[in-house]
Amino acid sequence: LYYETDYGVNMKINKPHIKVTKNGPYAVTGNVPLTEQHIVSDNAGTALEMEVTYEYPPMESYLLCRCGKSKNFPFCDGNHIESHFNGTETSKKEFSGFKYTGKTLVLYDDEDICASARFCHVSDGTWQLAREADDEESRREAIECAGNCIAGRLVIEDKETGEVFEPHYEPSIAIVQDPAANVSSAIWVRGGIPIESADGELYEVRNRVTLCRCGRSRNKPFCDSMHSVVKFRDDQ
Ligand code: FES
């Protein structure tokens, strides 16, 4: 009932799952919906919303490029072999953010996994909003801003109860484009899809993370904004 790819991955796993293959692609299994989404920004470059620009047909499983060299984006075409892609994973396995304590909220910030999507640039920045929020409206704004961080760099919780506030996402994946910065961005993974390293260990299961697809992150498999530095474009 199942077959194996060259990467030794059971591609018929029926629960959403992402396997980081050794120096190769992300093997996605479990009928995970795939879209392309654009970061919509204002004139100052602050991100306002994510816009779905394409819905891929349903696929039981697929291989997503992570070396940045495929000619068949976002899918793997085997170019990681020719280009001798070094996909060594260097990220820690769990989220650990610097703690900012505000009046009623606590914000955790893990800079290592920033994807430069710029949703945190609103108003005076998510940090200031989280620090000052003390009524329903200002709390709502701070919680929304932190939740809009596609990379999960920012996580917000109630200072008193420790309740973590997260947007609701179904398991799904988006290939992100960033027209305002004129770059192709990361792979946005939502809804708690388990991500397994090449050596078989699981990363902390999280509601939102961004995976590198330019091949240049120093914190693989996660995006660390290097796509902005190297001006990665998946159409070139
Ligand atoms: S896609 Fe962001 S660092 Fe590679």
Side-chain angles (χ1 to χ4, degrees):
L1 280 176
Y2 69 88
Y3 63 95
E4 302 218 331
T5 68
D6 291 342
Y7 307 101
V9 177
N10 174 358
M11 296 299 278
K12 291 283 182 183
I13 295 174
N14 57 16
K15 278 196 186 146
H17 187 93
I18 298 173
K19 169 74 180 177
V20 183
T21 66
K22 189 175 179 193
N23 301 326
Y26 301 106
V28 182
T29 50
N31 298 288
V32 180
L34 181 67
T35 55
E36 178 172 275
Q37 299 203 20
H38 285 202
I39 299 171
V40 178
S41 310
D42 64 16
N43 289 342
T46 300
L48 302 174
E49 61 177 342
M50 298 296 292
E51 181 186 19
V52 177
T53 51
Y54 185 68
E55 290 184 23
Y56 289 86
M59 291 170 283
E60 195 171 61
S61 61
Y62 44 92
L63 298 172
L64 291 177
C65 174
R66 79 175 177 111
C67 73
K69 299 276 194 257
S70 175
K71 296 283 177 265
N72 184 34
F73 273 115
F75 303 107
C76 170
D77 70 352
N79 243 309
H80 57 278
I81 297 170
E82 246 170 67
S83 61
H84 304 288
F85 173 58
N86 179 353
T88 305
E89 291 158 82
T90 50
S91 171
K92 56 190 184 284
K93 294 287 189 296
E94 293 187 346
F95 173 83
S96 60
F98 189 84
K99 185 176 179 181
Y100 293 86
T101 304
K103 289 177 180 165
T104 67
L105 295 167
V106 175
L107 184 72
Y108 294 91
D109 179 3
D110 187 345
E111 277 188 81
D112 292 347
I113 52 172
C114 179
S116 290
R118 309 179 303 283
F119 283 95
C120 55
H121 291 189
V122 289
S123 305
D124 295 325
T126 306
W127 300 265
Q128 181 70 6
L129 291 173
R131 199 175 294 128
E132 295 300 326
D134 59 357
D135 59 25
E136 203 176 317
E137 179 54 25
S138 58
R139 277 170 58 90
R140 190 200 55 72
E141 194 182 2
I143 289 167
E144 187 180 320
C145 286
N148 282 344
C149 169
I150 64 173
R153 164 185 168 172
L154 298 174
V155 172
I156 201 161
E157 68 179 28
D158 187 88
K159 184 176 170 182
E160 192 95 341
T161 64
E163 181 189 357
V164 177
F165 301 106
E166 279 291 313
H168 175 77
Y169 290 124
E170 292 297 324
S172 52
I173 294 178
I175 304 300
V176 180
Q177 305 286 357
D178 189 351
N182 199 23
V183 294
S184 295
S185 184
I187 297 171
W188 186 22
V189 179
R190 298 163 299 184
I193 301 175
I195 299 171
E196 182 188 342
S197 68
D199 63 12
E201 270 187 72
L202 278 185
Y203 289 92
E204 179 182 338
V205 175
R206 305 190 61 215
N207 185 35
R208 47 198 164 100
V209 295
T210 42
L211 292 172
C212 173
R213 69 185 182 102
C214 73
R216 301 291 289 276
S217 171
R218 298 147 301 179
N219 189 37
K220 293 185 180 70
F222 299 106
C223 170
D224 73 347
S225 297
M226 274 301 281
H227 62 269
S228 296
V229 178
V230 300
K231 302 282 177 216
F232 172 63
R233 291 278 302 264
D234 62 12
D235 57 357
Q236 288 173 356

